[in-house]
Every structure is written in structure tokens, then in C-alpha cells.
């Protein structure tokens, strides 16, 4: 029986580093608990990511917001693993980096302001109140809340104002497990150091370790597992193997490997995605990556952009700055040559804005009027109100759903619309020849439209590629979430895990120097 008092009925999944696998382990635990008949919600108090999605706005949302509310894509994915609707309470604070020094602060799904690393600390009292209220709201409605940490819990320079790691777990008496990425090396030192640098109150909550991304024979790890358990007094709850092919809403790091499909060279479609410095919602391309015979490469290479069958300009948090970056790398002339030759280009959100003739930006970059690439007859005017909607329509004979997250309002002065309503009236987007642009994220997740668009690209390029009519993006996501749930069941000590969730932190844990 899961008790909802104190720190029981909850768990914090922390990590030795960023990208240790916290998001996926959290999703796997959510899927495993769902299989046990437990109602479970994911929670990340503070997320830093430009990959976000629109969910339904709370009743008390500010009236100036257009449409819905914005949370991190990872929490949407975790909610899907839990079998529940994603909501704002699952990610009350979202930081969207616009430069190396500033981020947009999204509070309970709405823009709260801009902050530097220093000024953000002054916002912590207000943010902490919202974080705790959101957590308690979820706790009142679900049996279990599985929380994801950020970075490492041992960021000792930031501990005083921490909202998402031990600063969340400690006042709530929440048990903490620490995930380590063994593929990076140094996992045992990272486990020991994570505990030893915390103070006594924090150390008492660290109740176990999970090794992630292991390749090889797990028996080779046995001596190390026993030693780290002896040194720290905390169990290793399991060793999760490397899970190839898992592509589920990365937060803060682009894939470093190309997504390669199957098929002969003559029947493959090669997709080059321009890797902007402030790329956002690159998860739009996950839908292409699941297609057999489609190779997706993130690149800044002019040669790769020139030779690809399809070039995608994805979203960006800094449209004008990333447009300047694109020009500095000589990509403008390559794109112009592609357009002149009738070769496919797709712009999404910020990438679509770049394809237009002019951008008026006194909001995001504050650089005023900037010339676009001039490949589509559209113009963009930035305003201070962010649009957050979940539109739907039709394209290429298929229904399409998507979501909008943008400050830049795009006006088409020509061309043909990409999306229409049921009567055929234009809704959104612009296309001239093989150059297409849309503000809608997630449109490629609509199976019929994705297949039709890829077939169109193949026809234009003369590639003998035929989309697989059996591939379903939603079904593929479910398969991947099930693989995560299977990994938790097969490779973790689920009895100990459930005991932590039910009873809270293990009592009598030893304290390590120097922190204690």
C-alpha cells in the first residue's frame, strides 16, 4: 500500500551528470508503475530545454496568453509513459535559453520574463512557491509522483537556491536514486563523489544507484558494484543496458549520431537538418527518423546541405541570431541554389521565418528589421505575446495536427498554403515550388501527411523511395516506452524500488566525508 504522507508515494531520479539518462529512467519507472495498476504522474520542478510542447492551459492562466500552456517535451513523453494527460503542474518552471547568458522563464506554462544566471536567483522565492504548489497538487491526485532532477544534485555552488534536486527532495523527505552513465566512464567515482560532497541532511536521502547505458557482460561489473556498495553503504539497484534506437524527446543535447534507415542507397532519402546553435523542438525530426529508408543528419556542413534530398530548417529560440550564423557558414547561397533548382526545403517555425523576405524583431533579438533568405513570400513580425495553440487541418489529402509555440507572427503575401481546412480554404504555411514553410511543430507526426510529403520529396528528387504504410509514429512511441518499462522490470530491483516509493528514504544510511 502506497502511503501519500511525507516523502512516501514519491521518488526523485537524480543523475551524476546531465544526459545520464534521468528522463528515460523516469519514463521507464512511470511505465512500470502503470503496469502495476498505480496511478503515477511525472514531475520536473525546473527544466532547461528548448524542446517544449503545448498542453491545456490552467483555468487561472493569464488572459494575455494566446491559447494553451508550455511545458518540456520530456514531461509530455513521461506522461505518455504513465498513461495520463500531460499538464502544466508536471513542469512548473521551464527555462528556454536564448543565448549563453539569458533564458526565457516560463512559469506554469506562461512567459514570466527573461533572466540571466544571476538575476534568476532573485526569482527563486516566487518560483519555489509555484513548484511546491504544483507538486502538492499532483500528490493529491496521484498515488505516486516520480520526480526528475536536473544536471547533478551535487552542484554545490547552486545548492542554496536549488529547486529541482535536493532542494526539492529535502523539505519533502523524498527518497533519491542516482543514475550514472557508465558509457562516459568514471561512474563509480561519480557515485561516491555525488554522495560525499553533499551535507548530512542531503546524504540521508540518497538511497540507491542505477548504472545506465552499459554495453557488455554485466558480470564484469560485479566487483565494482560490491565495492561501491561497501564504500557508500547504498545499494546498486540495477544495471540498465544500452538500449539502441530509443529516440524519445531529448532535452538538452542533440543526437550526435545520424539516424540511419534501412534500404539500398538508391531507395534511401537523405535528410539534412541544419544544426542551429539555439535549435528548438528538434524532436520534430523524430517522426522522419522512424521511417525505414530515411537517413536524418544534423549538420552545419554546406556540402551536406547541398547534397541532401531534403533540407530542413528547424525551429530556433533565436531566429535572427541563428539566421546570421547560417549566413556566416555560407549556407544562404546553397539554399538559394536548391530553391532555384526545384530541390526540396522545409522550414519549421523559426526556420520558416528565415525563409521569408523580412523579419521585424523588436522583441527576441531587438535588432529591428532584418532581411530573410527571400525564398518564400512571407514576412514575420515579432510581438511580446507568445502564441501557444494546438491547430489541426489537412495537407496532401491527409489530416494533420500540430502545435504552435512562437512570438513571431508570419504573414504570407503569396504562394500556396501548406495546410487547409476541410473545405480547402488556406489555414497556415506557405509553399512555392519545392520550398515549404510552416509554423506548426509536430505536423510530421501525422502518419498520412508524413508519408505523402516524403513521397512528394522522393518524386521531386527522383529517388525510388516508398514510405512504409504500416509505420505509425504513435505506435512506435508506445513500443519505445514499453521497452523502457521492460528495462526497469528486467534490470532493476523493483522490490527495493517499490519499498523506497512506499516507505521513503532508507533509514540509518552512513554519512561520507567531506560533506558530512
Amino acid at each position: 500500500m502506497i502511503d501519500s504522507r511525507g516523502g512516501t508515494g514519491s521518488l526523485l531520479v537524480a543523475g551524476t551528470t546531465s544526459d545520464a539518462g534521468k528522463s528515460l529512467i523516469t519514463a521507464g519507472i512511470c511505465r512500470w508503475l502503470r503496469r502495476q495498476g498505480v496511478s503515477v504522474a511525472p514531475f520536473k520542478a525546473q527544466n532547461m530545454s528548448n524542446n517544449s510542447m503545448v498542453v491545456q492551459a490552467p483555468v487561472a492562466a493569464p488572459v494575455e496568453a494566446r491559447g494553451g500552456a508550455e511545458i518540456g517535451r520530456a514531461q509530455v513523453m513521461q506522461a505518455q509513459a504513465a498513461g495520463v494527460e500531460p499538464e502544466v503542474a508536471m513542469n512548473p518552471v521551464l527555462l528556454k535559453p536564448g543565448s549563453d547568458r539569458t533564458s526565457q522563464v516560463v512559469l506554469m506554462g506562461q512567459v514570466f520574463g527573461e533572466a540571466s544566471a544571476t538575476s534568476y536567483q532573485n526569482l527563486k522565492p516566487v518560483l519555489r512557491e509555484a513548484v511546491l504548489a504544483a507538486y502538492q497538487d499532483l500528490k493529491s491526485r496521484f498515488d505516486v509522483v516520480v520526480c526528475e532532477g536536473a544536471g547533478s544534485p551535487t552542484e554545490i555552488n547552486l545548492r542554496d537556491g536549488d529547486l529541482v534536486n535536493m532542494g526539492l527532495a529535502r523539505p519533502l523527505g523524498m527518497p533519491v536514486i542516482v543514475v550514472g552513465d557508465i558509457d562516459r566512464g568514471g561512474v563509480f567515482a561519480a557515485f561516491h563523489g555525488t554522495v560525499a560532497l553533499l551535507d548530512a541532511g542531503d546524504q540521508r536521502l540518497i538511497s540507491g544507484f542505477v548504472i545506465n547505458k552499459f554495453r557488455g557482460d554485466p558480470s564484469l561489473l560485479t566487483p565494482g558494484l560490491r565495492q561501491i556498495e561497501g564504500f557508500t553503504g547504498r545499494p546498486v539497484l540495477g544495471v540498465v543496458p544500452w538500449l539502441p534506437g530509443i529516440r524519445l524527446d531529448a532535452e538538452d543535447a542533440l543526437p550526435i549520431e545520424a539516424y540511419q534507415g534501412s534500404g539500398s542507397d538508391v531507395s534511401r532519402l537523405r535528410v539534412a537538418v541544419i544544426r542551429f546553435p539555439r535549435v528548438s523542438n528538434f524532436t520534430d525530426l523524430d517522426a522522419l527518423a522512424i521511417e525505414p529508408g530515411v537517413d536524418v543528419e544534423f549538420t552545419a556542413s554546406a556540402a551536406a546541405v547541398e547534397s541532401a534530398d531534403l533540407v530542413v530548417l528547424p525551429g530556433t529560440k533565436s531566429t535572427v541570431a541563428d539566421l546570421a550564423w547560417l549566413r556566416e557558414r555560407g549556407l544562404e547561397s546553397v539554399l538559394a541554389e536548391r530553391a532555384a533548382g526545384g530541390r526540396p526545403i522545409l522550414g519549421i517555425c523559426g526556420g520558416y521565418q528565415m525563409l521569408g523576405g523580412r523579419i521585424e524583431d523588436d522583441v527576441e533579438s531587438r535588432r529591428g528589421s532584418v532581411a530573410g533568405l527571400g525564398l518564400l513570400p512571407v514576412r514575420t513580425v515579432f510581438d511580446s505575446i507568445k502564441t501557444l495553440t494546438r491547430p489541426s487541418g489537412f495537407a496532401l489529402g491527409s489530416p494533420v495536427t500540430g502545435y504552435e509555440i512562437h512570438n513571431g507572427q508570419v504573414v504570407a503575401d503569396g504562394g500556396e498554403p501548406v495546410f487547409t481546412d476541410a473545405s480547402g480554404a488556406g489555414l497556415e504555411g506557405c509553399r512555392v515550388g519545392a520550398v515549404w514553410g510552416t509554423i506548426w511543430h509536430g505536423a510530421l507526426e501525422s502518419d498520412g501527411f508524413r508519408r505523402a510529403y516524403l513521397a512528394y520529396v522522393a518524386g521531386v528528387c527522383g529517388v525510388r523511395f516508398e514510405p512504409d504504410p504500416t509505420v505509425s509514429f504513435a505506435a512506435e512511441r508506445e513500443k519505445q516506452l514499453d521497452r523502457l518499462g521492460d528495462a526497469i522490470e528486467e534490470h532493476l530491483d523493483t522490490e527495493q524500488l517499490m519499498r523506497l516509493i512506499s516507505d521513503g528514504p532508507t533509514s540509518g544510511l552512513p554519512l561520507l566525508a567531506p560533506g558530512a
Side-chain angles (χ1 to χ4, degrees), residues 196-215:
L197 290 178
L198 296 173
D199 69 19
D202 288 350
Q203 286 193 28
R204 291 189 176 96
L205 303 178
I206 306 293
S207 300
F209 305 118
V210 173
I211 288 181
N212 193 28
K213 306 181 188 178
F214 180 72
R215 311 176 194 234

Side-chain angles (χ1 to χ4, degrees), residues 266-317:
V266 295
S267 65
R268 274 184 168 151
L269 273 183
R270 293 168 300 137
V271 180
V273 184
I274 296 180
R275 188 172 180 165
F276 295 127
R278 295 296 170 187
V279 65
S280 68
N281 286 75
F282 56 83
T283 48
D284 286 335
L285 286 306
D286 289 351
L288 295 184
I290 69 167
E291 287 284 349
V294 177
D295 298 340
V296 180
E297 177 186 9
F298 291 89
T299 183
S301 162
V305 170
E306 192 281 329
S307 64
D309 298 308
L310 169 65
V311 172
V312 179
L313 281 67
T316 166
K317 186 63 181 65

Side-chain angles (χ1 to χ4, degrees), residues 437-509:
T438 175
I439 213 76
W440 291 9
H441 293 291
L444 293 169
E445 295 175 13
S446 296
D447 296 329
F449 168 64
R450 182 181 66 254
R451 293 178 196 134
Y453 181 67
L454 290 175
Y456 161 79
V457 169
V460 170
C461 297
V463 178
R464 297 200 303 269
F465 168 83
E466 294 184 8
D468 186 338
T470 67
V471 172
S472 162
F473 181 78
E476 181 62 24
R477 286 182 70 86
E478 280 298 305
K479 289 179 185 177
Q480 295 198 20
L481 291 170
D482 278 335
R483 286 180 66 195
L484 295 180
D486 293 343
I488 298 300
E489 288 190 25
E490 295 172 15
H491 300 287
L492 296 195
D493 185 335
T494 53
E495 288 188 12
Q496 285 201 68
L497 190 61
M498 186 65 87
R499 190 158 49 247
L500 289 175
I501 294 170
S502 300
D503 300 338
T506 304
S507 60
L509 292 169

Side-chain angles (χ1 to χ4, degrees), residues 153-171:
T154 317
E155 305 290 353
I156 54 178
N157 55 315
L158 302 175
R159 175 61 183 89
D160 288 346
D162 177 44
L163 298 174
V164 64
N165 291 305
M166 305 314 295
L168 176 71
R170 186 148 164 190

Side-chain angles (χ1 to χ4, degrees), residues 323 327 332 353-359 370-375 378:
L323 175 59
R327 285 179 163 134
E332 181 174 20
Q353 295 166 359
M354 293 182 193
L355 292 174
R358 187 150 295 277
I359 301 170
V370 176
L373 298 174
L375 302 183
V378 302

